[in-house]
Amino acid sequence: MLPLLWLLLAAPVSAPAMSSPVDPAFLSLAREVEAALLAGDEAALDARLDGEQFLQRVTRGLPVSSTFLEALTGEVRADGWPMGRRLLGSNGQGLHARLLQVRMRGRTPFALFRILSGAGLNYLELELGRNARNEAVIVDLFPYLEGERMSESMWRVYLLAAAERGQCLTRKLRGVERQWVEQLPRWRRIERLLGSGQGREAVEELDRLPPRLRGQKFVQLKRLELLASLDEAEYALGLLAFEKAFPQEPLLDLFALDNPMLRGESAVMMAAIDRLDRRVADPYMDYLRGRMLHGQDDLEGAKRLLQKALEEDPGLWEPRVELLSVAIEEADHAGAVHILEEMERGAGGSQMRVRIQEGPEARAFLESAEYKAWLERQRAREGRDGGSEVAEPAGP
């Protein structure tokens, strides 16, 4: 199989599918967030988050004095919530956000986004509501790879901060919450180990937590994150244990897509894609299916699914990259150039660089009359605008 082509392009915005009935104000808010994220403005999440409602969730039930709570909330009101950078963390580079749907669950509206960045694939669900001025706002955020709402994870952070400042009234805590505070020295030790790149030692510290606390989702997720960079076999075992404990978690299927132990297990991978698709209804899943079929040399099946992904979401670029790879592999040089031209039109004049991996099919394409004619057009364009980059063979 010809390796993937590497394409760097700016993607246009395409209209998402919506469920109804949804208040137009929430649809408008979701689209505004999408446009801002596509423009590289990660702070759009912070600007549209209702800090007061989010703060109420984060501090609800904290066993602290009213004086401390007032001081804590005053700090947040002054500094705001830096959710965008924490969740997206790309500084606007390589970030592609796609609004997939806005739907009601009961009386609460939710907006679901696909997030593609240098960190890979994630989904971000925003809980929407209204503020004191009756404006549509974000109330809470649920990134799939975090496994919980941000208000839940921030509640634990604030609980530890209160304990560290001597303000946490532990006699009001029970069970896991009390253990969470009692293990404060170990949490700080784990943070120091992570900060110094000692991942194995951090895993060992996590494994020394009390059994009930060790079994919590957020602890298991941190452990999996560390094992993924340490040992594939241990990561696979940890993933099985997590799946047994939390069988309905959507992040399990996201993990499967990036699990090196499963890359040769096409049936398992397809099942993970299907489960995730039932939850998110995302055309990107057809791209992943097509890519898998391409890897199995089912070129016709791959093309059918890749085209389907583009029909449902014309703003996707990854299927075009894969289709270009298929066309070169099939020696369809005219078709490959046609795809390149479509990419040019879609990029709207943005710079384009295509790097083609070495191989007999790639060399044949680079030597073809169709490619050379396209290359001449690119060079002419470069002379006019002084910035466009052309297709070139990749290095060895």
Side-chain angles (χ1 to χ4, degrees), residues 185-321:
R186 175 158 284 124
W187 295 124
R188 295 311 182 212
R189 191 155 54 247
I190 290 170
E191 289 175 359
R192 289 193 296 272
L193 290 169
L194 291 174
S196 60
Q198 296 175 272
R200 172 58 65 186
E201 291 78 4
V203 170
E204 292 170 356
E205 281 296 309
L206 285 172
D207 289 343
R208 294 189 183 103
L209 290 168
R212 188 175 176 188
L213 185 56
R214 192 169 63 241
Q216 294 297 299
K217 187 195 300 182
F218 67 92
V219 176
Q220 289 302 306
L221 282 176
K222 174 55 68 176
R223 190 173 186 276
L224 280 175
E225 178 186 334
L226 292 170
L227 289 177
S229 61
L230 294 173
D231 186 278
E232 287 188 359
E234 285 186 78
Y235 174 75
L237 290 173
L239 198 56
L240 288 173
F242 185 92
E243 184 174 6
K244 183 177 180 180
F246 308 100
Q248 302 301 319
E249 283 298 319
L251 57 82
L252 283 168
D253 297 318
L254 281 171
F255 284 167
L257 300 181
D258 197 39
N259 185 353
M261 300 291 288
L262 296 177
R263 286 176 188 160
E265 302 290 337
S266 57
V268 176
M269 292 290 284
M270 280 292 194
I273 292 170
D274 291 344
R275 284 193 302 270
L276 188 58
D277 200 12
R278 285 194 291 272
R279 183 182 294 269
V280 299
D282 184 2
Y284 192 82
M285 296 298 106
D286 279 325
Y287 156 67
L288 293 177
R289 294 183 183 103
R291 184 177 173 181
M292 287 192 62
L293 292 184
H294 187 190
Q296 298 166 7
D297 294 324
D298 181 357
L299 302 188
E300 290 303 316
K303 287 190 290 186
R304 183 176 64 255
L305 286 167
L306 295 169
Q307 291 288 0
K308 183 172 182 284
L310 287 174
E311 289 169 5
E312 295 178 356
D313 185 355
L316 278 174
W317 289 100
E318 292 83 357
R320 298 187 193 278
V321 176

Side-chain angles (χ1 to χ4, degrees), residues 77-392:
R77 289 189 178 100
D79 299 336
W81 294 96
M83 291 289 108
R85 183 175 297 176
R86 170 175 175 172
L87 292 177
L88 305 177
S90 67
N91 295 320
Q93 300 299 311
L95 174 66
H96 295 281
R98 166 73 157 89
L99 176 59
L100 296 173
Q101 55 189 255
V102 181
R103 60 185 173 184
M104 303 295 294
R105 289 211 294 270
R107 302 177 68 177
T108 305
F110 293 86
L112 181 65
F113 292 79
R114 178 209 308 135
I115 303 294
L116 286 169
S117 68
L121 172 66
N122 196 3
Y123 290 92
L124 176 62
E125 185 177 74
L126 304 181
E127 180 180 341
L128 308 180
R130 292 188 179 275
N131 62 12
R133 296 185 297 275
N134 203 36
E135 299 165 331
V137 293
I138 300 170
V139 175
D140 211 337
L141 311 93
F142 173 43
Y144 276 24
L145 285 177
E146 296 276 341
E148 63 184 0
R149 292 177 296 179
M150 293 306 299
S151 60
E152 296 174 291
S153 58
M154 291 304 299
W155 189 92
R156 289 195 306 275
V157 170
Y158 272 47
L159 184 62
L160 278 190
E164 201 163 42
R165 299 183 193 183
Q167 293 293 325
C168 184
L169 309 177
T170 54
R171 66 180 181 273
K172 294 184 178 180
L173 295 172
R174 296 291 184 272
V176 172
E177 293 172 354
R178 183 162 187 158
Q179 289 183 343
W180 170 252
V181 171
E182 291 172 344
Q183 292 296 315
L184 176 59
R186 175 158 284 124
W187 295 124
R188 295 311 182 212
R189 191 155 54 247
I190 290 170
E191 289 175 359
R192 289 193 296 272
L193 290 169
L194 291 174
S196 60
Q198 296 175 272
R200 172 58 65 186
E201 291 78 4
V203 170
E204 292 170 356
E205 281 296 309
L206 285 172
D207 289 343
R208 294 189 183 103
L209 290 168
R212 188 175 176 188
L213 185 56
R214 192 169 63 241
Q216 294 297 299
K217 187 195 300 182
F218 67 92
V219 176
Q220 289 302 306
L221 282 176
K222 174 55 68 176
R223 190 173 186 276
L224 280 175
E225 178 186 334
L226 292 170
L227 289 177
S229 61
L230 294 173
D231 186 278
E232 287 188 359
E234 285 186 78
Y235 174 75
L237 290 173
L239 198 56
L240 288 173
F242 185 92
E243 184 174 6
K244 183 177 180 180
F246 308 100
Q248 302 301 319
E249 283 298 319
L251 57 82
L252 283 168
D253 297 318
L254 281 171
F255 284 167
L257 300 181
D258 197 39
N259 185 353
M261 300 291 288
L262 296 177
R263 286 176 188 160
E265 302 290 337
S266 57
V268 176
M269 292 290 284
M270 280 292 194
I273 292 170
D274 291 344
R275 284 193 302 270
L276 188 58
D277 200 12
R278 285 194 291 272
R279 183 182 294 269
V280 299
D282 184 2
Y284 192 82
M285 296 298 106
D286 279 325
Y287 156 67
L288 293 177
R289 294 183 183 103
R291 184 177 173 181
M292 287 192 62
L293 292 184
H294 187 190
Q296 298 166 7
D297 294 324
D298 181 357
L299 302 188
E300 290 303 316
K303 287 190 290 186
R304 183 176 64 255
L305 286 167
L306 295 169
Q307 291 288 0
K308 183 172 182 284
L310 287 174
E311 289 169 5
E312 295 178 356
D313 185 355
L316 278 174
W317 289 100
E318 292 83 357
R320 298 187 193 278
V321 176
E322 199 77 15
L323 284 168
L324 181 57
S325 181
V326 172
I328 294 174
E329 190 170 345
E330 292 184 317
D332 180 8
H333 299 154
V337 167
H338 177 70
I339 293 171
L340 286 173
E341 291 171 341
E342 284 186 341
M343 291 174 172
E344 288 180 292
R345 289 191 292 271
S350 299
Q351 290 187 354
M352 187 170 75
R353 176 188 298 149
V354 180
R355 291 186 177 178
I356 302 175
Q357 298 293 331
E358 290 290 346
E361 298 96 341
R363 285 194 295 273
F365 175 60
L366 294 175
E367 294 169 0
S368 69
E370 292 88 348
Y371 170 76
K372 290 178 179 177
W374 178 81
L375 186 59
E376 286 301 316
R377 293 194 294 273
Q378 286 288 301
R379 285 174 175 161
R381 175 186 171 191
E382 185 177 23
R384 290 194 302 271
D385 61 29
S388 182
E389 299 189 57
V390 301
E392 58 188 21

